[in-house]
Amino acid sequence: MAAINNRKISDLIFEFPFLASFFSDNGLDITGKEELTLAEYFAGFDEDEIEDKAIDVDNLMFQIGEFIKQMIAFLGKEDDVVKTVTILPGHDKSGNPEKFDDLVIRQGEIICIVGPTGSGKSRLLGDIEWVAQGDTPTGRSVLVNDQVPDKKWRFSSADKLVAQLSQNMNFVMDLSVYDFVELHAESRMVQNREQVIKRIINKANSLAGEPFTPETPITSLSGGQSRALMIADTAILSKSPIILIDEIENAGIDRKRALGLLISEDKIVLMATHDPVLALMGDRRIVIKNGGIHKVIETTDEERKILSTLEDMDRIFLAYRTKLRQGDIITKIENTQ
Amino acid sequence: MNLVTVSGPPSSGKTSVILKTIDSLKKQGLKIAVAKFDCLYTDDDILYEKAGIPVKKGLSGALCPDHYFVSNVEEITNWALKNKFDILISESAGLCNRCSPYIKGIKAVCVIDNLSGINTPKKIGPMLKTADIVVITKGDIVSQAEREVFASRVNTVNPSAIIMHINGLTGQGSFELSTLLYDEALNIDSLKGMELRFPMPAALCSYCLGETRIGESYQMGNVRKMKVED
Ligand SMILES: Nc1nc2c(ncn2[C@@H]2O[C@H](COP(=O)(O)OP(=O)(O)OP(=O)(O)O)[C@@H](O)[C@H]2O)c(=O)[nH]1
Ligand SMILES: Nc1ncnc2c1ncn2[C@@H]1O[C@H](COP(=O)(O)OP(=O)(O)OP(=O)(O)O)[C@@H](O)[C@H]1O
Ligand SMILES: [Mg+2]
Ligand SMILES: [Mg+2]
Ligand SMILES: [Zn+2]
Ligand SMILES: [Zn+2]
């Protein structure tokens, strides 16, 4: 990184194309100045401009260097494959040690987290996100691929261990579906963007009841369509190997397919839920009590059979909801077999 | 004692984040006080008092709150030192996108929220660009995609900052922030001789000083004119 300040802006941008966005996001107009060195460019500002634009040349030089370093690191490496996440026991709220040796969660697994309000579900998710090293209130430690993990999982904005599907599924941007996904793809530096965007929209449409087009404004998507788009986008575009879900609401979306999509993209899914249908869709469930992991239960074959009955009941329930919405009058309980 | 300066646009979640973070700091046995700087009005002092946190409030009135902050931070710091607090957290309203209350050698935290729009990081000046830690709030009401895009925009304007996501309502992420705030190596026993990270503009024109009449002959001090072409 020696002496970038003595290199021409055009050369720098040729070598590090991502610098173009650095200049524009920092409000630095370089048009017509490409043949200047960085130092000459900054020397060209008069005092008023420096004051108005709040330019701090030393700091900017430093930040440009940082940005180049980060982007090179980000672009140059293979995607991290996280095969396992291991939780080592800590203690519950009363200080009693947790009674398990280690809890290994594997790529492609769905783990549910259940327990009463205030029991510590969010804290467990927090421990994983922060890759705790005995330094959180629970005393737990987290290993990634059996190793004490790299600090970057805590501090890098590009490498987050965990992506989260919000409970509240609103979009605040006012863009078309296509532009929205493209913006996300851009920020993730994705190659062959067009293909990826198409794939996301197709997947989303296969999860939602009613299809939408790439031109649809995201703010006019229905609740189910928004959820579907969000899940497909996170599954395919987010680099984070772990997806946290705080309940997926049951309206207008095929939840089993949604989970299937996340798993097929090699994610680890952790889901805090009170819904029996979701809880039983997991491979295992972690029961939290008084801040500690109380039990880890593998979903039994019998439970899976019960799950399909519960799913039928769920469908009946939904069918009645639809009827009521349409203004129908309900006369008897029908069995939808 | 550590001084921590927290700044950010109005309603970005500064108070919520500070309150949740103090919960965690208290559990580590630290004694904390808050100083709140705002322009015309704030109820934040009541929120802090309710949470049992000693608080001092300063309203800058007609002045830029950051200018007011620098003129008063030494006295407030001395008050906190005298009362033997371990941490003094200052919360200032980042009303003026041009100024920032950050001091060299003092931890600087900027709080902004996901709802403010993806072009906001571009618009905020030194308050965002020279912070050590950038806290992004209200992630609970936007999508994962929007969170990622927003964080990457913040990273472009301040690549060296630690970026953290905190939910001001539930406090998710505030424990993590609390571990980054107190640092014995940053203890101070006075602010004397310390410097601002970034100079504030000398924005004193006659109107700042109360002039109301319009016309060139009433304009004094630091006056700039637009170029108006025919
Ligand atoms: N949904 C959501 N709301 C939040 C979050 N953080 C803060 N809020 C809400 O946003 C509003 C403003 O939060 P404050 O903490 O008062 O913001 P502030 O930056 O201190 O505001 P001022 O001091 O008045 O500039 C409050 O209603 C908070 O409850 C968050 O992460 N998610
Ligand atoms: N092992 C522990 N030791 C000490 N404190 C703990 C422990 N586990 C959780 N806590 C604390 O208990 C509080 C409640 O935990 P948390 O918010 O995780 O509950 P929750 O199960 O997510 O509740 P809800 O269902 O309401 O979302 C938090 O302040 C958390 O830090
Ligand atoms: Mg919770
Ligand atoms: Mg406030
Ligand atoms: Zn100002
Ligand atoms: Zn003025």
Side-chain angles (χ1 to χ4, degrees), chain A residues 33 64 111 185 261 280 312 327:
Chain A
K33 311 231 168 99
I64 292 176
I111 308 284
L261 170 60
L280 293 178
D312 287 338

Side-chain angles (χ1 to χ4, degrees), chain A residues 4-289:
Chain A
I4 48 167
N5 44 340
N6 289 324
R7 297 192 47 196
K8 270 195 210 167
I9 291 181
S10 57
D11 290 351
L12 284 172
I13 291 188
F14 181 75
E15 188 173 352
F16 311 114
F18 48 79
L19 275 184
S21 75
F22 182 91
F23 284 112
S24 79
D25 280 5
N26 280 282
L28 299 168
D29 186 4
I30 48 167
T31 41
K33 311 231 168 99
E34 293 88 346
E35 294 312 301
L36 299 178
T37 66
L38 213 47
E40 286 165 349
Y41 172 71
F42 284 122
F45 285 101
D46 63 31
E47 252 172 60
D48 279 355
E49 274 174 307
I50 291 206
E51 193 173 305
D52 287 351
K53 294 199 172 144
I55 292 169
D56 176 342
V57 176
D58 291 340
N59 185 47
L60 268 173
M61 288 286 193
F62 169 71
Q63 297 282 36
I64 292 176
E66 277 298 295
F67 192 68
I68 293 177
K69 255 190 274 173
Q70 277 179 15
M71 294 308 284
I72 289 175
F74 177 72
L75 295 170
K77 67 171 199 287
E78 301 283 305
D79 281 0
D80 295 284
V81 178
V82 172
K83 286 204 150 32
T84 62
V85 169
T86 307
I87 300 166
L88 302 179
H91 49 74
D92 67 13
K93 289 192 200 180
S94 321
N96 306 313
E98 289 175 307
K99 291 190 218 74
F100 60 92
D101 298 326
D102 54 13
L103 174 56
V104 183
I105 302 171
R106 291 178 191 79
Q107 210 175 38
E109 256 191 309
I110 300 173
I111 308 284
C112 294
I113 300 168
V114 296
T117 298
S119 56
K121 300 184 291 295
S122 298
R123 187 60 253 163
L124 173 62
L125 298 177
D127 285 349
I128 295 170
E129 188 163 9
W130 185 242
V131 281
Q133 295 304 310
D135 55 357
T136 67
T138 65
R140 293 186 191 115
S141 301
V142 172
L143 306 179
V144 174
N145 293 334
D146 293 327
Q147 308 278 316
V148 174
D150 197 315
K151 274 254 181 210
K152 75 164 189 202
W153 292 117
R154 276 189 185 182
F155 294 129
S156 147
S157 68
D159 295 298
K160 283 255 166 267
L161 195 55
V162 165
Q164 199 159 1
L165 284 173
S166 340
Q167 205 157 16
N168 212 326
M169 301 257 181
N170 299 308
F171 292 106
V172 293
M173 291 178 192
D174 195 7
L175 293 171
S176 70
V177 168
Y178 189 93
D179 292 347
F180 173 77
V181 181
E182 186 174 40
L183 197 65
H184 190 197
E186 257 169 38
S187 85
R188 304 235 97 297
M189 303 271 163
V190 172
Q191 315 287 321
N192 58 3
R193 246 171 246 167
E194 204 164 325
Q195 247 173 298
V196 173
I197 298 169
K198 271 196 198 132
R199 197 165 137 237
I200 290 172
I201 296 174
N202 287 340
K203 284 285 179 194
N205 274 325
S206 76
L207 300 179
E210 300 205 355
F212 53 87
T213 68
E215 291 77 34
T216 313
I218 47 174
T219 46
S220 68
L221 296 175
S222 71
Q225 288 170 329
S226 302
R227 241 164 266 136
L229 177 61
M230 233 175 256
I231 290 167
D233 169 88
T234 302
I236 293 167
L237 264 184
S238 182
K239 274 184 86 173
S240 306
I242 303 177
I243 311 280
L244 299 187
I245 305 177
D246 242 334
E247 303 265 358
I248 316 181
E249 237 185 272
N250 194 12
I253 180 169
D254 186 333
R255 295 188 294 182
K256 207 168 203 172
R257 269 205 183 160
L259 290 175
L261 170 60
L262 292 168
I263 297 307
S264 71
E265 296 291 326
D266 290 333
K267 305 284 188 188
I268 292 170
V269 178
L270 292 170
M271 183 162 51
T273 183
H274 301 288
D275 182 329
V277 174
L278 283 178
L280 293 178
M281 273 183 198
D283 302 297
R284 286 184 283 169
R285 58 186 185 274
I286 296 175
V287 185
I288 310 269
K289 208 174 176 179

